[in-house]
Amino acid sequence: MKLIVGVTSCPTGIAHTYMAAESIEKAAKKAGAKAKVETNGSIGVENKLSDKDIEEAVAVIVAADARVKMKRFDGKPLIEVSVSEAIKNSKKLVEDALDGKFKTYEHK
Amino acid sequence: MKIVDLITKDIITLELSSSTKQDVIQELAELLKSDDRISDLDKFVEEVNKREALGSTGVGYGVAIPHAKTKYVKRPSLVFGRTNEGFDYDSLDGKETDLFFMIAAPEGGENLHLRTLAKLSRGLMDETFREELRNAKTKEALIHTLSQIDKEEEK
C-alpha cells in the first residue's frame, strides 16, 4: 500500500490542524492508500513522522499556516498548501500525490 | 477530559436567532457570558474576530468553528448552535453554514481539553456524525451524539 505523509498546522492549533489531518487520512483511505499525518497543534507535535516514514512515502503534503520543519523532506515529491485547502480539497491532493504530480522539494 | 466536561445544555442552542456571521459570534459568546465561562464578552468576541481575520473558521460541510484561546476564558468550553436555515459564514466551500461550534480555551494551564477538541475536529470531518448533529431533536440527544467523540481512539 502506498504511503503519503503529511504535516498540518494552523494559527491557533485547536481545530483546523486536526480537521486537515483527518481529511487527508480519510481521502487516502478512500483512494486505497495510507496516510500518516503529523499534527503540529497547540498540544504540540503528535503522530511525528519518522525518517523511515518519510523515506517510504511516495509524496509529502504540507498543509500549514504556521512554520513546520521542512529540511527532512529534501528530495521528496512535495506540495505546500494552506490548511484550509487540505480540509477542502484533500481528495484532489491525495490523487495528485499518488499520481506523482508533485515537484521534488529542494531545501534551501 | 470528556466532551460533557466542556459542554452542557446551558450553552447549546438548537435554534439560533442570528443569520449573519457577526451576529452568530455574538450570540454564541453571550451564552458563554451568561453561563459565567468568560470574564469579558467584548474582549472575547474581539479575540474570536482576530482569529477569523486570519482565515474564516467556516470550514465547509456546513460547519463553522469560531474559536479563541485567551485569558478572558475562565474554563474550557464548547458552545453549540444550530439553525435550520443555513446562512453565509464566509465558508471555505462557499456554501451555507448551519452547525456552529464556538470553542473557548483558556491560556496556559492544562491541555486536556485540547485533546478533546482535536477529536471533535476530526469527528466533524465525518458526514454521518454531522448528520446526527443536524437531526438531534433535543439538547440531550445532541450531547449524546457528541459523546461518541469520547470513544474515538487517540491518534
Side-chain angles (χ1 to χ4, degrees):
Chain A
M1 194 183 282
K2 282 186 182 175
L3 175 72
I4 297 168
V5 293
V7 185
T8 60
S9 77
C10 60
T12 323
I14 287 180
H16 290 66
T17 296
Y18 304 98
M19 287 181 164
E22 185 73 16
S23 192
I24 293 168
E25 286 166 12
K26 269 191 161 48
K29 203 173 170 189
K30 261 193 190 157
K34 188 178 182 312
K36 179 171 178 183
V37 184
E38 177 183 297
T39 51
N40 290 206
S42 54
I43 303 170
V45 174
E46 289 186 304
N47 209 23
K48 193 170 169 36
L49 301 175
S50 67
D51 293 346
K52 186 165 165 281
D53 293 330
I54 295 168
E55 195 186 316
E56 284 176 3
V58 296
V60 184
I61 298 173
V62 177
D65 295 344
R67 281 172 73 89
V68 298
K69 288 182 186 155
M70 293 295 291
K71 191 170 176 231
R72 54 192 166 154
F73 302 129
D74 191 36
K76 299 294 293 188
L78 178 142
I79 195 166
E80 280 185 85
V81 295
S82 67
V83 71
S84 52
E85 181 72 16
I87 296 174
K88 200 168 56 176
N89 287 331
S90 58
K91 185 166 175 274
K92 170 107 180 25
L93 286 171
V94 164
E95 280 169 8
D96 287 354
L98 296 173
D99 290 349
K101 288 192 181 166
F102 296 167
K103 286 187 186 147
T104 302
Y105 176 71
E106 282 176 55
H107 190 74
K108 282 168 195 154
Chain B
M1 184 172 276
K2 293 197 165 136
I3 204 96
V4 291
D5 297 322
L6 300 172
I7 190 166
T8 65
K9 283 194 277 180
D10 296 328
I11 50 171
I12 290 175
T13 175
L14 298 180
E15 283 180 47
L16 284 163
S17 53
S18 305
S19 57
T20 66
K21 180 168 180 170
Q22 252 338 293
D23 285 354
V24 75
I25 289 173
Q26 186 74 25
E27 185 177 353
L28 296 170
E30 277 169 14
L31 284 175
L32 285 172
K33 187 74 182 89
S34 64
D35 202 34
D36 197 31
R37 288 165 178 267
I38 52 173
S39 57
D40 187 319
L41 176 63
D42 292 344
K43 290 270 174 38
F44 178 77
V45 168
E46 202 180 304
E47 291 295 324
V48 171
N49 285 331
K50 266 190 213 162
R51 174 61 188 84
E52 293 297 325
L54 295 173
S56 178
T57 65
V59 294
Y61 312 100
V63 176
I65 40 156
H67 57 273
K69 190 174 182 214
T70 149
K71 61 182 177 186
Y72 305 111
V73 176
K74 290 184 170 180
R75 55 193 162 124
S77 306
L78 180 68
V79 189
F80 177 80
R82 189 174 75 184
T83 167
N84 290 327
E85 308 271 321
F87 56 84
D88 176 33
Y89 191 90
D90 187 22
S91 70
L92 299 178
D93 61 6
K95 292 185 184 149
E96 298 195 320
T97 303
D98 62 343
L99 298 175
F100 300 86
F101 287 93
M102 177 174 271
I103 298 168
E107 260 173 14
E110 288 284 333
N111 273 337
L112 294 172
H113 58 284
L114 295 174
R115 287 186 188 282
T116 313
L117 293 171
K119 284 196 277 185
L120 172 70
S121 300
R122 284 179 177 271
L124 287 171
M125 294 289 101
D126 184 69
E127 193 180 344
T128 314
F129 183 63
R130 292 193 301 268
E131 279 313 301
E132 284 179 35
L133 294 172
R134 289 191 172 99
N135 294 331
K137 294 232 170 10
T138 62
K139 292 179 181 182
E140 288 83 356
L142 185 95
I143 290 174
H144 181 76
T145 299
L146 284 175
S147 297
Q148 291 174 28
I149 292 298
D150 297 328
K151 293 177 197 134
E152 292 285 317
E153 289 218 10
E154 289 268 350
K155 295 208 179 173

